[in-house]
Amino acid sequence: MTENECGCSEFYDTLFQLVDDQLTAEECSRLRLHAEDCPHCAQLLHAETELRALLRKCCCPPAPAELRQRISYSIRVEYRQ
């Protein structure tokens, strides 16, 4: 099954933002309620959440704050161009 076979393209398009807490509380709530009723979207959400948890557990410690700030700044500058 592809991501759009369940007819939930909005969920698929915003999945990473949902997991990264980059949406409003209202949007997160709406999407999570949708996932409760859609097995395919629930599976996608669970898989992405589990993958990220595993990566955090297995990867090295977080980068120093100064490095994270420089990277974040560079991304914002690049995004605006």
Side-chain angles (χ1 to χ4, degrees), residues 3-4 8-17:
E3 69 274 1
N4 292 322
C8 306
S9 60
E10 180 192 7
F11 185 88
Y12 185 76
D13 291 343
T14 58
L15 174 63
F16 302 121
Q17 293 170 310

Side-chain angles (χ1 to χ4, degrees), residues 1-8 12 38-44:
M1 179 183 289
T2 65
E3 69 274 1
N4 292 322
E5 282 185 29
C6 66
C8 306
Y12 185 76
C38 179
H40 180 69
C41 290
Q43 181 182 19
L44 288 173

Side-chain angles (χ1 to χ4, degrees), residues 8 11 18 28-46:
C8 306
F11 185 88
L18 175 63
C28 288
S29 178
R30 184 175 51 79
L31 291 167
R32 289 185 189 283
L33 283 173
H34 168 76
E36 289 178 11
D37 293 333
C38 179
H40 180 69
C41 290
Q43 181 182 19
L44 288 173
L45 180 58
H46 178 74

Side-chain angles (χ1 to χ4, degrees), residues 22-78:
Q22 295 178 339
L23 301 172
T24 66
E26 184 178 289
E27 291 170 314
C28 288
S29 178
R30 184 175 51 79
L31 291 167
R32 289 185 189 283
L33 283 173
H34 168 76
E36 289 178 11
D37 293 333
C38 179
H40 180 69
C41 290
Q43 181 182 19
L44 288 173
L45 180 58
H46 178 74
E48 185 64 27
T49 302
E50 290 295 312
L51 174 64
R52 288 172 184 230
L54 181 62
L55 288 172
R56 278 191 300 276
K57 182 178 176 183
C58 295
C59 291
C60 50
E66 183 181 317
L67 176 60
R68 290 193 314 266
Q69 289 171 347
R70 287 194 328 240
I71 291 170
S72 181
Y73 175 77
S74 296
I75 290 170
R76 286 193 306 270
V77 168
E78 187 66 29

